[in-house]
Amino acid sequence: MKEKFIALKNDISVILKSLGLINDYLGNHYLLINTVQMTLRTVAPYITVYCTGLVITALTQGKEFSVILRYVLIASFSTLISDLIMRWMNFYRLTMLNSCYYKHCAVLSRKALSLDYAKAESSSVQTLRGKIEETANHGDGIAWVADMAAQIIANAASIVIAIIMVSGMAFGRATKSLSGAMKFADTPYFTALLAVITVLCISLTVKYQSIAEKKNFKSYNSVKCWPLKEHYDKKYLNETDCGKDVRIYNEAPLLNEELKTKVYEPITRNVKERFKIWATYGSVTGIISNVLGGTVYIFVGLKAFTGAFGAGKVVEYYGAITKLINSCSDIAGCFGYLRANCPQMKQELEYLALTSDMENGTRKADEIDTDNLEFEFHNVSFRYPETEPLVLKNISLKITQGEHLAVVGMNGSGKSTMIKLLARLYDPNEGYITVNGIDIREFDYTEYLKLFSIVFQDFKLLAFSVGENIACSEEYDEQKVWNCLKMSGAYDRVKEFPNGLKQSIYKLYEKDGVDLSGGEEQKLAIARALYKDGAFVVLDEPTAALDPIAESEIYSKFNEIVGSKTAVYISHRLSSCRFCSRIIVFDKGEIIQQGTHEELLAQPDGKYYKLWNAQAQYYNEKTTA
Ligand code: ADP
């Protein structure tokens, strides 16, 4: 019992917080209008019920035609007016509901980008985000919270009106002389009996309605194939991702079969199961409501028979009690829905409450003398969050102004990780990094990032225009963009585009967007780094996707690209590191050698010598073949 109470309390807190969010997104007038609209919709039928009662009473009392006509006109006119108001309010409500959903999505996305990289990448945050995306596809969530809450209020208003309307029944006294059982119909016990039966039937309806709602939600959430469906749609059915392999290896029959058994069949089974729940519980509540309706008719009819009230009141009381039952059942349904929706809202609130763990300083970038830049790693060790092995072990390294440093080593030896630490995507577990002698954590992170132009190995471009991609902004200096494209070697290709810098890349948003080869993408990524013009340049495997001519172009332009700036150059191709002033060799997270190309080659026992010879041999074999 206590647990149930705590669960209820927690759910109410989630519902209230969700309403708070809606209030933030749409302003409090939305909740007000929503509630008014729902209330109007719920109580409007009472006008018809009440006026129909009046018309019948007037007819049975032989009132003049003009009186009856007045009632009919009042009923029709008020119904028309309330209908018109409701339609427009509903239009407003649905528009706002939609905007609430998108505002919420935007807030969730902003949160994702506002978290520090390490936290956003951690498996716990990724899992939470995955769950949110998965459940958001079901179409529930925040948008319906306001609707359900408004419906509860509207139905509560309906219950109050119904109770006021039927309360007159208790005061009607018989006007005929009665005998036997009919005398009982004129006692307060008779009315009390009807009240007890009504409460009983309503409780049963509420109970079964809630059970149906809960079972429906549980069944809905038991289907785990929604992410799978998305994966099929986004990856396997996507031309650029798997289209080639699917065709070459004729994977379509396999995909169809898998889709059928793993996605469509479970969904169909689930839909059937949920319809069955509604049919079963709908039948039970239908029976209860019909039994109650019949009972009310008999009671009200008997009372009318005793002369306590006329035929018009029979219609009015019956209509009011029927509405009372429906409103109670609707409240149960809405509350059941709200509670069933709580786990999802809880996840979203939990996600929105996440904060960055990264220490953010206050120092500004202009405190750093970029003409005398000096970075230093002081005994830095690092392991990725939620993993065991140390990826960097006790790294001590100084990178001085104007130095062009090459970093080489086997795959997985920690080269890229070192750059990630330098850019503070992660903080070291041990040791620290300084720029011009100041701990990098003392700088405001956005300010600190101004120092860097980095091209990561796994860089990504956006499906926007070339200009926007290079400048990372809608507004840009066209001449500067062209200059950067020239330096990165992408100038001629972009010149060919029909829309020049305005040309969209990829076909995600624009049907005439251009698709680029890996090498062309890499050149644009280099141009983006050049446009940023950071004082410290990092190129992580910048030529991996380039053809030999483009690669040699980049090498020959390296000094032009980097100029007198301090630069780190990570590459597998040792021949491409020769133009760097110093080379450091990484192995299993440690710096095992450093020096110039010539110095390192003079150490035949060293790793560099082995790597160099392995590559030289490979190239020799290739060229002699
Ligand atoms: P390199 O650039 O030398 O190829 P990396 O710095 O990319 O090597 O990777 C070093 C090690 O860190 C590898 O063992 C890799 O698997 C691991 N690693 C890289 N990124 C992550 C990550 N996000 N989470 C956990 N481990 C990672």
Side-chain angles (χ1 to χ4, degrees):
M1 191 66 195
K2 198 178 162 203
E3 276 125 42
K4 276 192 174 173
F5 178 72
I6 293 172
L8 176 68
K9 216 173 111 197
N10 289 342
D11 283 354
I12 289 175
S13 148
V14 169
I15 293 166
L16 291 177
K17 280 184 190 156
S18 307
L19 287 172
L21 272 185
I22 296 169
N23 209 35
D24 291 346
Y25 297 154
L26 303 175
N28 52 17
H29 60 283
Y30 168 69
L31 288 176
L32 188 73
I33 288 182
N34 199 6
T35 309
V36 171
Q37 193 265 341
M38 290 283 183
T39 309
L40 215 59
R41 195 171 77 181
T42 314
V43 302
Y46 285 107
I47 304 171
T48 321
V49 169
Y50 184 70
C51 290
T52 312
L54 285 180
V55 170
I56 294 173
T57 305
L59 280 171
T60 51
Q61 288 173 353
K63 290 258 167 77
E64 280 176 26
F65 178 69
S66 61
V67 176
I68 296 165
L69 186 66
R70 197 188 320 143
Y71 292 148
V72 171
L73 284 177
I74 291 173
S76 312
F77 191 68
S78 45
T79 309
L80 174 73
I81 295 292
S82 64
D83 185 57
L84 284 178
I85 296 174
M86 270 186 309
R87 276 175 199 278
W88 281 100
M89 279 182 142
N90 201 31
F91 159 74
Y92 173 80
R93 182 183 70 86
L94 289 174
T95 317
M96 295 292 271
L97 205 64
N98 202 39
S99 119
C100 175
Y101 174 70
Y102 288 112
K103 279 190 182 169
H104 186 58
C105 289
V107 168
L108 286 173
S109 307
R110 271 204 295 278
K111 171 55 79 176
L113 293 175
S114 74
L115 290 175
D116 62 88
Y117 183 78
K119 186 149 189 176
E121 209 207 26
S122 69
S123 69
S124 53
V125 173
Q126 290 280 327
T127 311
L128 184 59
R129 175 106 204 149
K131 277 195 209 156
I132 291 172
E133 272 168 16
E134 184 189 324
T135 41
N137 290 335
H138 297 189
D140 304 308
I142 190 145
W144 295 107
V145 175
D147 246 32
M148 293 296 138
Q151 277 191 43
I152 289 177
I153 296 172
N155 280 298
S158 164
I159 290 170
V160 172
I161 295 173
I163 290 173
I164 293 170
M165 278 175 81
V166 295
S167 60
M169 205 170 81
F171 304 110
R173 281 281 159 266
T175 52
K176 290 181 189 168
S177 61
L178 304 167
S179 60
M182 289 305 287
K183 263 191 164 173
F184 178 63
D186 193 36
T187 62
Y189 302 115
F190 184 75
T191 315
L193 185 62
L194 176 61
V196 170
I197 293 174
T198 307
V199 169
L200 195 72
C201 287
I202 287 175
S203 320
L204 286 175
T205 310
V206 166
K207 182 177 165 195
Y208 289 119
Q209 180 77 25
S210 311
I211 295 176
E213 200 70 61
K214 256 187 222 147
K215 284 199 166 190
N216 175 48
F217 235 80
K218 200 168 160 200
S219 160
Y220 202 36
N221 286 332
S222 70
V223 179
K224 296 289 172 218
C225 58
W226 297 111
L228 209 59
K229 180 172 181 337
E230 256 197 77
H231 191 74
Y232 274 104
D233 290 349
K234 279 191 188 155
K235 292 266 176 201
Y236 299 157
L237 306 183
N238 185 324
E239 296 307 304
T240 47
D241 254 317
C242 294
K244 289 194 288 296
D245 301 275
V246 166
R247 280 168 182 75
I248 303 281
Y249 294 102
N250 190 24
E251 289 172 335
L254 174 69
L255 277 178
N256 284 337
E257 192 52 32
E258 289 273 302
L259 256 173
K260 189 172 137 215
T261 53
K262 293 199 174 133
V263 177
Y264 294 123
E265 283 178 357
I267 290 177
T268 311
R269 271 198 301 278
N270 181 257
V271 169
K272 193 171 157 195
E273 183 181 288
R274 283 188 296 121
F275 281 157
K276 202 166 157 195
I277 293 171
W278 283 123
T280 311
Y281 285 92
S283 307
V284 174
T285 52
I287 291 170
I288 297 170
S289 130
N290 275 295
V291 167
L292 180 60
T295 312
V296 170
Y297 241 136
I298 294 170
F299 271 66
V300 179
L302 276 176
K303 280 287 246 184
F305 186 74
T306 66
F309 41 73
K313 286 286 173 193
V314 172
V315 174
E316 191 183 315
Y317 292 148
Y318 179 72
I321 292 184
T322 313
K323 276 291 294 166
L324 180 70
I325 302 165
N326 290 342
S327 294
C328 291
S329 158
D330 284 353
I331 284 193
C334 292
F335 196 62
Y337 176 91
L338 273 180
R339 290 201 69 188
N341 191 40
C342 274
Q344 182 183 335
M345 278 316 300
K346 210 168 140 199
Q347 282 171 2
E348 296 187 17
L349 291 168
E350 199 183 316
Y351 188 75
L352 290 178
L354 289 176
T355 50
S356 278
D357 294 333
M358 185 198 247
E359 222 179 285
N360 202 11
T362 50
R363 284 181 184 261
K364 299 270 177 268
D366 54 21
E367 287 181 50
I368 303 168
D369 177 3
T370 47
D371 292 332
N372 288 298
L373 207 55
E374 184 183 274
F375 281 95
E376 188 165 0
F377 283 66
H378 302 259
N379 305 100
V380 168
S381 295
F382 174 73
R383 64 168 57 84
Y384 280 96
E386 299 161 357
T387 64
E388 260 312 301
L390 273 179
V391 172
L392 293 182
K393 298 169 201 157
N394 203 23
I395 300 290
S396 288
L397 171 73
K398 198 185 268 189
I399 308 167
T400 51
Q401 171 61 38
E403 184 173 16
H404 292 173
L405 177 76
V407 182
V408 301
M410 307 282 280
N411 268 342
S413 57
K415 305 182 294 292
S416 300
T417 305
M418 182 192 92
I419 301 303
K420 290 186 199 165
L421 259 59
L422 201 61
R424 267 203 92 190
L425 292 176
Y426 302 92
D427 279 332
N429 297 97
E430 280 166 40
Y432 59 99
I433 303 167
T434 54
V435 55
N436 293 4
I438 307 167
D439 192 320
I440 59 174
R441 288 170 293 196
E442 289 182 27
F443 290 93
D444 173 88
Y445 188 51
T446 320
E447 286 283 311
Y448 176 68
L449 285 183
K450 286 181 183 167
L451 291 177
F452 295 98
S453 279
I454 304 180
V455 182
F456 281 110
Q457 202 176 343
D458 53 355
F459 67 86
K460 291 280 177 290
L461 298 176
L462 306 171
F464 302 145
S465 72
V466 174
E468 286 168 337
N469 263 288
I470 306 298
C472 301
S473 154
E474 279 178 324
E475 312 271 305
Y476 49 86
D477 175 346
E478 291 199 11
Q479 195 48 52
K480 186 173 167 191
V481 173
W482 284 118
N483 288 344
C484 297
L485 289 169
K486 239 179 222 158
M487 274 197 274
S488 73
Y491 181 87
D492 291 341
R493 179 74 175 110
V494 176
K495 267 280 172 210
E496 284 171 10
F497 294 158
N499 301 319
L501 295 182
K502 302 259 181 304
Q503 179 70 51
S504 280
I505 56 174
Y506 312 131
K507 294 191 167 28
L508 198 61
Y509 298 120
E510 302 285 342
K511 68 177 183 342
D512 62 347
V514 288
D515 284 317
L516 302 168
S517 70
E520 287 165 346
E521 286 176 337
Q522 208 151 27
K523 287 177 187 173
L524 290 191
I526 293 173
R528 177 172 65 184
L530 292 171
Y531 190 94
K532 192 180 174 203
D533 200 20
F536 191 99
V537 180
V538 181
L539 303 179
D540 186 354
E541 290 288 350
T543 58
L546 299 185
D547 57 60
I549 296 179
E551 186 183 348
S552 81
E553 256 177 54
I554 291 282
Y555 294 152
S556 59
K557 282 186 179 165
F558 186 77
N559 282 335
E560 189 187 337
I561 290 174
V562 175
S564 59
K565 288 177 181 171
T566 316
V568 171
Y569 183 79
I570 301 179
S571 182
H572 275 309
R573 260 167 267 192
L574 303 194
S575 56
S576 64
C577 302
R578 286 159 67 173
F579 53 84
C580 288
S581 43
R582 184 165 54 128
I583 299 170
I584 59 171
V585 185
F586 260 84
D587 189 41
K588 299 192 185 90
E590 287 174 283
I591 296 175
I592 51 164
Q593 278 184 293
Q594 52 182 305
T596 61
H597 173 71
E598 288 70 26
E599 282 165 3
L600 292 172
L601 268 194
Q603 300 168 21
D605 294 335
K607 187 93 184 169
Y608 188 84
Y609 183 88
K610 283 192 194 124
L611 289 172
W612 175 263
N613 279 307
Q615 265 186 5
Q617 185 189 359
Y618 172 77
Y619 280 117
N620 287 340
E621 274 169 17
K622 286 273 162 197
T623 42
T624 50

